Amino acid sequence: MSELQELATVVASVLGATLRISVPLVLCALAGVLSERAGVIDIGLEGKLLAAAFAAAVAGAFGWPAGAALLAAVAAGMALSAVHGLACIRFRGDQIVSGVAINILALGLTAVIGLHLFQRGGRTPDVPPEGRFGVLFDAAARAVQDWPLLGPLLAEALLRHTLLTWLAFALVPAVWWLLYRTRFGLRLRAVGENPAMVDAAGISVAGLRWRAVLLAGVLCGIAGAFLTLAQNASFTPGMSAGRGFMALAAMVFGHWHPVRALWACLLFGLLDAVAIRLQGTVLPGLGAVPVELIQALPYLFTVVLLAGFFGRAQAPAALGQSFTKER
């Protein structure tokens, strides 16, 4: 029974880590789904995620409560989304170039401003515990932790999560409902397929795209806040570590559908959780697994997905196309 209990503990820890690692991926993938369903390519997910994480960490380091720091992160995500919307919707610029510029801008500004504010090489001080999101059901997790077999699964995989984790997974059905069960969602999807038809119906194409892009900024803001207010305790330059691009790959793999993108994000999270677990593990006949190879697995899988599925995935017909209203 002790071996089974140990196995249950390992499985529970991997499942719990999978859910936690998946949170920023899920939120950024949902952001990409909303933006690209409206016809606006969002390569800048990585930059918005990084800027939001920095804003939340700075607010927390200055003593703001967790809720206010979350709002600061959302404001940062929306600000960069507004820049993207201004470049792509208002001035009809190249959407990919704008997204790449946002990524570069966020990477440079967060490091420079962090260095100026705290003189720690771009890193922020640790956010105090009262400024972070704690585990919601910690008492319940401790109560069931010692149950045979089922206890670790309930405690680690389900109960030891923060409010932002629960919010991220609750937003998946919410975004699905918004896209496929509301008039706004129908119009949003129509803008991504045939904006001229939407304009002919007397509906503002630019207005719908603006709303989609700003909603994407809100979701990226929540994702960034999770990184520094729930998963970690401070900001370090480049801490997004490619998660925005992983979310982009998950969105493409999920064919721009929120539920399918969720499963792709969970797969990425599982790979990352297993990689963390395997570090330093000695495999029979192979010896110790190289740490560098383990850490590279999620990124290699991202490249494989983008290379193998991007060409075959059916993107919205008007994705990346600027729209000019005919007079």
Side-chain angles (χ1 to χ4, degrees), residues 107-314:
L107 183 63
L109 277 181
T110 53
V112 171
I113 296 174
L115 179 62
H116 174 72
L117 289 177
F118 304 108
Q119 289 80 45
R120 297 186 176 204
R123 188 178 182 275
T124 66
D126 288 349
V127 178
E130 58 271 17
R132 305 179 67 234
F133 288 94
V135 175
L136 277 183
F137 306 111
D138 190 47
R142 289 198 302 269
V144 304
Q145 177 70 49
D146 295 328
W147 290 4
L149 297 181
L150 189 60
L153 291 172
L154 288 174
E156 293 294 334
L158 290 179
L159 297 176
R160 285 205 171 102
H161 295 292
T162 65
L163 173 64
L164 296 184
T165 303
W166 294 100
L167 176 62
F169 289 101
L171 283 172
V172 175
V175 170
W176 173 87
W177 178 81
L178 180 69
L179 283 175
Y180 295 99
R181 290 295 183 270
T182 66
R183 180 181 298 178
F184 171 74
L186 176 63
R187 291 174 174 177
L188 194 72
R189 288 183 288 123
V191 164
E193 296 292 342
N194 193 338
M197 179 186 68
V198 174
D199 181 65
I203 301 168
S204 172
V205 172
L208 284 169
R209 286 186 168 178
W210 267 109
R211 278 179 272 179
V213 167
L214 291 176
L215 282 174
V218 171
L219 292 171
C220 287
I222 300 172
F226 176 84
L227 287 181
T228 49
L229 301 180
Q231 191 174 54
N232 302 288
S234 64
F235 175 88
T236 54
M239 72 179 299
S240 53
R243 288 180 178 88
F245 297 111
M246 288 184 185
L248 189 68
M251 178 195 66
V252 173
F253 186 54
H255 295 268
W256 290 266
H257 189 282
V259 178
R260 294 172 189 164
L262 165 67
W263 293 114
C265 291
L266 288 174
L267 180 58
F268 279 127
L270 178 62
L271 279 174
D272 212 347
V274 170
I276 294 170
R277 188 74 191 181
L278 284 178
Q279 289 186 22
T281 302
V282 178
L283 298 180
L286 296 177
V289 180
V291 173
E292 294 79 9
L293 175 62
I294 294 300
Q295 292 174 337
L297 281 178
Y299 302 97
L300 291 174
F301 192 64
T302 302
V303 173
V304 170
L305 281 185
L306 285 175
F309 290 91
F310 191 79
R312 287 180 285 174
Q314 188 64 40

